[in-house]
Amino acid sequence: MANKTRFLTVREIENAYEVKILSETFNRDVDDEVHSVIGMLFFQTRSHIQLDVTSLRYLPLDFINQIVALARDLRAKKRVLVLVGVPYSTYHYLKRFRLTKLFFQLQDGMVRRRFQNPLRPTEEFRR
């Protein structure tokens, strides 16, 4: 599939392709690579797509809008987008505007398992 990616890993899983973002920050290079790989998977396969964004600290609004548009396009083609590891703020945004129904929900859910509230001190700063 896509052997020469710097910021992504792409692998075929059961009935789907998993795209995992490896970068911790979202920049233009990551956006271009994600856009090209997802576009290739959308047009050249008939499989579902699983997008894992666990490593990203936040998702910009432009990227969220691209993900929502991709989910709508996949729905029109009778396929689904599985979104894994989104930050709580992104999940809250999707839930607020009732967009979570566009995505297939895994048993573990869409949100990261460990949520760190930036307003509360971490364990190392507590006394």
Side-chain angles (χ1 to χ4, degrees), residues 46-57:
R46 292 184 180 162
S47 298
H48 306 297
I49 298 174
Q50 178 175 329
L51 183 61
D52 188 351
V53 295
T54 307
S55 65
L56 292 174
R57 295 181 186 153

Side-chain angles (χ1 to χ4, degrees), residues 4-34:
K4 298 192 179 197
T5 57
R6 290 179 27 203
F7 304 106
L8 304 174
T9 59
V10 180
R11 68 184 180 120
E12 187 173 357
I13 56 177
E14 186 177 337
N15 296 330
Y17 281 95
E18 179 189 43
V19 178
K20 186 171 186 174
I21 299 176
L22 302 175
S23 176
E24 290 182 3
T25 59
F26 192 84
N27 56 28
R28 188 71 182 155
D29 295 332
V30 175
D31 185 35
D32 291 341
E33 195 166 294
V34 169

Side-chain angles (χ1 to χ4, degrees), residues 87-123:
Y88 186 74
S89 59
T90 303
Y91 179 75
H92 184 67
Y93 173 81
L94 294 172
K95 192 168 181 158
R96 168 71 176 98
F97 294 106
R98 298 181 184 160
L99 297 171
T100 55
K101 295 177 184 179
L102 290 173
F103 304 99
F104 183 78
Q105 302 272 338
L106 293 176
Q107 193 173 28
D108 295 340
M110 174 184 306
V111 184
R112 290 183 193 151
R113 289 186 184 157
R114 291 188 64 199
F115 168 65
Q116 292 181 342
N117 188 346
L119 301 176
R120 291 187 174 178
T122 57
E123 294 294 333

